[in-house]
Amino acid sequence: MGGRPSSPLDKQQRQHLKGQVDTLLRNFLPCYRGQLAASVLRQISRELGPQEPAGSQLLRSKKLPRVREHRGPLTQLRGHPPRWQPIFCVLRGDGRLEWFSHKEEYENGGHCLGSTALTGYTLLTSQREYLRLLDALCPESLGDHTQEEPDSLLEVPVSFPLFLQHPFRRHLCFSAATREAQHAWRLALQGGIRLQGTVLQRSQAPAARAFLDAVRLYRQHQGHFGDDDVTLGSDAEVLTAVLMREQLPALRAQTLPGLRGAGRARAWAWTELLDAVHAAVLAGASAGLCAFQPEKDELLASLEKTIRPDVDQLLRQRARVAGRLRTNIRGPLESCLRREVDPQLPRVVQTLLRTVEASLEAVRTLLAQGMDRLSHRLRQSPSGTRLRREVYSFGEMPWDLALMQTCYREAERSRGRLGQLAEPFGFLGMQSLVFGAQDLAQQLMADAVATFLQLADQCLTTVLNCDQAAQRLERVRGRVLKKFTSDSGSVQRRFIRGWGLCIFLPFVLSQLEPGCKKELPEFEGDVLAVGSQALTTEGIYEDVIRGCLLQRIDQELKKTLGANDVSCTLDGCLEVPWEQEGAAPNLNLVSSFLAGRQAFTDFLCLPAKSSANWILAASLLSCSCFRSGFHRDSPVFLVQLAEGLSHSLETVSSHSVWSFQPTPRQ
């Protein structure tokens, strides 16, 4: 839009920002190293400790989180002076948004006009709401008022707008041609925002958990208690957001008076200046973390070798120190819990339960409908393109944003009420909480789909006629729904425990900060005697408080759910939101898409040794065409299933039209 900053970032300003980033890393990395050690100890203790008697009933889907690639024409407000210009936009499967001058430029592999990671953006589809947001950025008219106001560009009604707003980046203003196109882009962009925002929370790597804990501890040392949405994004994006929040008041006071223009022109210029600062900080944080990567890899390998042989001694010493600490702080801690937490805990637990329960119930309904459609289609059309299309649609259910929107909306419904309950405790991370519930719904749907496909593969053979095959699928349907009910109860409890901790733990720590932490130095000798950086008095102190909080949460869960299997131990209390079972240990922060032949079998959510996989692998390697004519009494369901999903690899765009062409009988 209108005016630009009176001066871009000069060399001195860039050097100042570099110094700020260096200071941040210098203070943060020691916290990160300590949490890496604690995370490795936690991982090893879980591997060697007793396993939970009732694990997940559903199979773990190997299909990686993604969004369907979405592309199409839009108009964008860009240029200097800004004007609405046609572009061709592409949302990649990893959630990155790109735009090109025209469709041919994209199809020919040309350079894009611009691109952005969607981390931290908020999507607005109301022009009036967006204009109010711009007005709030610069409520006072300061500086030079002589520059022409370009407000008319946004005052002209935009029929189907798509405004992407970010607290520290330039706003992106798009417009679709129709309401249907706007709706499709809204779903796609919201999916991309969530996918890129929860990359660390979804990771099972100890390094990811260590990083998030280190960010929390670093901010507590800076005097900031209370969870918010700063931890959305990659590690470099999180550190960038931390520093931007620290620097924003000073940056606003120093630079805002010097911006030219007035009103919304000034607000737009402010977002452009923030974008330049954000880019410089992000580059510095990325470079610093990349430089730390070799040290981190070496440290993780060393920690694995040194902690594993001494894990029993470490855990015994931690238990001894924790027992003494618990005795020392019991009085102030119990007083704080009774006075501050207990009155609000029932309402918080019930609201969290309603949030996740409604979302998972919607998942169950969609899952049952999908399995019913497959059985019905098998009876009606055992060898046609409709069956293959139904199989493809069933396999894609977890990633079908339009279909899953029903579940995602349920996760949004309690946002306002829960926000009101949690805000007095300093919790401002409602977007993270909603994303967590939505990710949980998507993962459980993916696991259920994977389980259904494997059980179907085990029970269907070519000797069955269509009615027999459909009857077996109906029995599989019942088994999957029972497993889903069992797992949904478990994940609801984990969700409530994890987010209950996020809401209450920082607040309790802040309340106990003045007095209880003064007693920690007397335990330093016992901890240092172990000679391992995996144990710290501060870490054990937080574990004690965390355990007491979880006992309160578990008691409330028993009242609410009537569950008798909700328990809390010191090790068990280390759960966090989005924690998922069954993932293989991975000591590095790695998040990349699968490649090669193994990716195909993982992509289909099928068992590694299933007959469908063998058929699919043969068809992929030999480029065989689909079979189209099967005898009515021999549906060969899994052959069609594999072939239908194989064909779907070529039609992943959200707006593609499935076209299965008839092919000769083999």
Side-chain angles (χ1 to χ4, degrees):
M1 217 178 94
R4 298 180 61 84
S6 57
S7 63
L9 295 179
D10 56 28
K11 183 177 180 180
Q12 182 178 0
Q13 290 170 320
R14 290 193 296 270
Q15 283 296 117
H16 172 74
L17 291 174
K18 183 180 182 302
Q20 294 295 317
V21 173
D22 291 343
T23 301
L24 169 67
L25 291 170
R26 188 163 53 250
N27 295 329
F28 170 76
L29 289 180
C31 290
Y32 193 14
R33 293 185 186 97
Q35 291 307 306
L36 284 170
S39 189
V40 172
L41 173 62
R42 187 182 300 115
Q43 179 75 26
I44 294 174
S45 65
R46 284 178 176 172
E47 291 175 13
L48 302 178
Q51 300 299 311
E52 292 185 7
S56 298
Q57 299 294 310
L58 295 171
L59 297 173
R60 179 71 176 172
S61 172
K62 296 181 180 179
K63 205 169 184 180
L64 290 168
R66 60 183 172 88
V67 292
R68 288 177 172 178
E69 183 172 294
H70 192 83
R71 53 186 180 268
L74 293 173
T75 56
Q76 181 186 17
L77 185 62
R78 62 186 182 90
H80 294 283
R83 56 191 178 88
W84 290 100
Q85 303 179 50
I87 57 166
F88 188 79
C89 231
V90 180
L91 178 66
R92 301 292 187 181
D94 62 353
R96 186 168 186 82
L97 186 66
E98 300 177 351
W99 51 96
F100 300 80
S101 56
H102 46 77
K103 182 179 180 180
E104 291 72 20
E105 190 74 19
Y106 159 72
E107 293 176 338
N108 295 332
H111 292 292
C112 59
L113 295 173
S115 66
T116 188
L118 290 176
T119 307
Y121 276 98
T122 300
L123 177 64
L124 303 175
T125 55
S126 165
Q127 186 175 7
R128 179 178 300 178
E129 186 178 355
Y130 178 69
L131 291 178
R132 284 200 300 266
L133 184 147
L134 275 183
D135 292 340
L137 284 180
C138 298
E140 299 179 1
S141 296
L142 303 173
D144 185 5
H145 291 254
T146 61
Q147 181 170 328
E148 180 184 355
E149 283 276 358
D151 291 356
S152 58
L153 288 167
L154 284 171
E155 293 294 350
V156 175
V158 181
S159 298
F160 309 108
L162 296 157
F163 297 111
L164 285 168
Q165 178 268 334
H166 193 287
F168 311 123
R169 303 193 64 183
R170 179 185 291 111
H171 297 178
L172 300 173
C173 302
F174 300 104
S175 178
T178 65
R179 186 171 302 281
E180 291 75 17
Q182 181 196 43
H183 178 71
W185 273 109
R186 180 176 64 83
L187 294 181
L189 291 170
Q190 287 174 339
I193 292 170
R194 178 169 57 87
L195 178 70
Q196 293 222 326
T198 59
V199 60
L200 286 172
Q201 286 81 1
R202 291 193 315 269
S203 175
Q204 298 302 297
R209 168 66 186 273
F211 180 85
L212 293 174
D213 283 344
V215 169
R216 181 177 56 81
L217 286 175
Y218 168 81
R219 300 185 77 199
Q220 285 179 190
H221 295 161
Q222 304 297 314
H224 180 91
F225 290 85
D227 270 21
D228 51 27
D229 295 323
V230 76
T231 54
L232 291 175
S234 67
D235 48 5
E237 289 171 326
V238 169
L239 288 186
T240 300
V242 168
L243 186 57
M244 291 294 292
R245 293 197 181 201
E246 291 178 2
Q247 298 296 314
L248 189 60
L251 185 66
R252 188 178 185 92
Q254 293 170 7
T255 61
L256 192 58
L259 295 179
R260 300 177 61 193
R264 292 164 188 162
R266 176 186 296 280
W268 192 268
W270 170 243
T271 66
E272 290 189 323
L273 175 61
L274 283 178
D275 190 76
V277 174
H278 182 276
V281 173
L282 180 60
S286 299
L289 289 173
C290 285
F292 178 67
Q293 183 68 36
E295 179 188 340
K296 185 184 81 172
D297 294 339
E298 183 178 345
L299 178 61
L300 286 170
S302 173
L303 289 168
E304 171 74 15
K305 293 178 182 178
T306 57
I307 290 177
R308 190 173 291 275
D310 299 329
V311 64
D312 290 337
Q313 178 188 355
L314 290 172
L315 294 179
R316 283 195 299 268
Q317 184 67 3
R318 185 182 72 170
R320 283 195 292 268
V321 175
R324 293 172 55 199
L325 260 174
R326 191 179 298 111
T327 301
N328 282 23
I329 67 172
R330 177 176 294 149
L333 176 58
E334 284 295 319
S335 175
C336 176
L337 294 178
R338 285 196 301 267
R339 185 179 65 255
E340 304 289 352
V341 174
D342 290 350
Q344 296 298 325
L345 184 60
R347 282 182 285 183
V348 170
V349 167
Q350 290 165 13
T351 308
L352 284 171
L353 176 62
R354 283 196 297 270
T355 299
V356 67
E357 191 176 44
S359 182
L360 296 186
E361 183 59 33
V363 172
R364 190 184 190 280
T365 300
L366 291 177
L367 176 65
Q369 292 172 350
M371 293 186 291
D372 289 342
R373 283 194 300 270
L374 278 179
S375 298
H376 176 75
R377 187 61 64 193
L378 182 58
R379 293 180 187 274
Q380 298 297 319
S381 178
S383 59
T385 59
R386 290 184 178 180
L387 178 58
R388 289 199 294 271
R389 184 181 301 179
E390 206 65 61
V391 170
Y392 168 79
S393 298
F394 182 78
E396 284 290 291
M397 281 173 61
W399 325 113
D400 187 335
L401 291 171
L403 184 72
M404 293 293 292
Q405 195 63 24
T406 304
C407 314
Y408 298 160
R409 278 199 301 266
E410 293 296 339
E412 291 271 4
R413 292 189 191 280
S414 301
R415 178 198 286 262
R417 173 60 177 159
L418 191 56
Q420 291 176 354
L421 290 173
E423 188 173 358
F425 298 96
F427 179 81
L428 302 175
M430 284 308 303
Q431 186 62 75
S432 299
L433 190 152
V434 170
F435 281 170
Q438 292 172 342
D439 278 352
L440 198 63
Q442 187 180 52
Q443 184 63 59
L444 207 57
M445 174 67 89
D447 293 346
V449 167
T451 304
F452 179 85
L453 292 178
Q454 180 171 46
L455 293 178
D457 182 56
Q458 293 171 352
C459 75
L460 295 179
T461 66
T462 58
V463 300
L464 300 174
N465 62 35
C466 288
D467 288 335
Q468 292 171 329
Q471 289 172 5
R472 291 201 177 185
L473 280 187
E474 289 169 0
R475 288 198 290 270
V476 170
R477 173 191 185 276
R479 291 179 62 189
V480 171
L481 289 179
K482 286 182 180 179
K483 293 175 182 291
F484 180 90
T485 300
S486 173
D487 282 10
S488 63
S490 299
V491 299
Q492 283 178 36
R493 288 190 289 273
R494 283 204 301 273
F495 180 88
I496 293 168
R497 297 176 91 222
W499 283 107
L501 281 178
C502 285
I503 292 171
F504 293 115
L505 178 60
F507 173 79
V508 174
L509 289 172
S510 69
Q511 296 297 300
L512 300 179
E513 177 82 8
C516 291
K517 289 194 74 172
K518 293 180 181 179
E519 302 183 17
L520 296 186
E522 68 179 84
F523 298 94
E524 286 288 349
D526 295 334
V527 173
L528 293 175
V530 180
S532 174
Q533 55 185 320
L535 289 185
T536 64
T537 53
E538 185 175 16
I540 298 173
Y541 168 75
E542 288 199 6
D543 282 347
V544 168
I545 298 173
R546 185 182 288 110
C548 293
L549 262 175
L550 275 177
Q551 288 177 356
R552 290 292 216 280
I553 295 172
D554 287 343
Q555 290 169 3
E556 193 59 43
L557 273 173
K558 287 181 181 180
K559 295 177 186 177
T560 305
L561 298 175
N564 296 319
D565 57 343
V566 180
S567 62
C568 174
T569 63
L570 186 59
D571 290 332
C573 75
L574 298 175
E575 296 178 3
V576 290
W578 291 295
E579 185 160 357
Q580 302 160 344
E581 303 290 336
N586 175 11
L587 297 182
N588 290 302
L589 245 178
V590 177
S591 178
S592 58
F593 286 94
L594 296 175
R597 297 179 185 178
Q598 183 61 35
F600 288 112
T601 56
D602 290 347
F603 181 87
L604 298 183
C605 307
L606 292 173
K609 296 183 179 180
S610 71
S611 59
N613 273 330
W614 288 110
I615 296 169
L616 175 59
S619 67
L620 289 171
L621 296 177
S622 62
C623 299
S624 61
C625 57
F626 299 124
R627 303 173 192 174
S628 60
F630 294 99
H631 191 272
R632 168 76 182 175
D633 294 333
S634 299
V636 197
F637 177 79
L638 286 178
V639 175
Q640 296 177 344
L641 183 149
E643 290 172 340
L645 287 177
S646 172
H647 186 78
S648 76
L649 293 173
E650 302 172 1
T651 55
V652 296
S653 173
S654 61
H655 59 271
S656 298
V657 177
W658 296 314
S659 56
F660 298 91
Q661 301 299 327
T663 56
R665 185 191 306 265
Q666 285 193 342

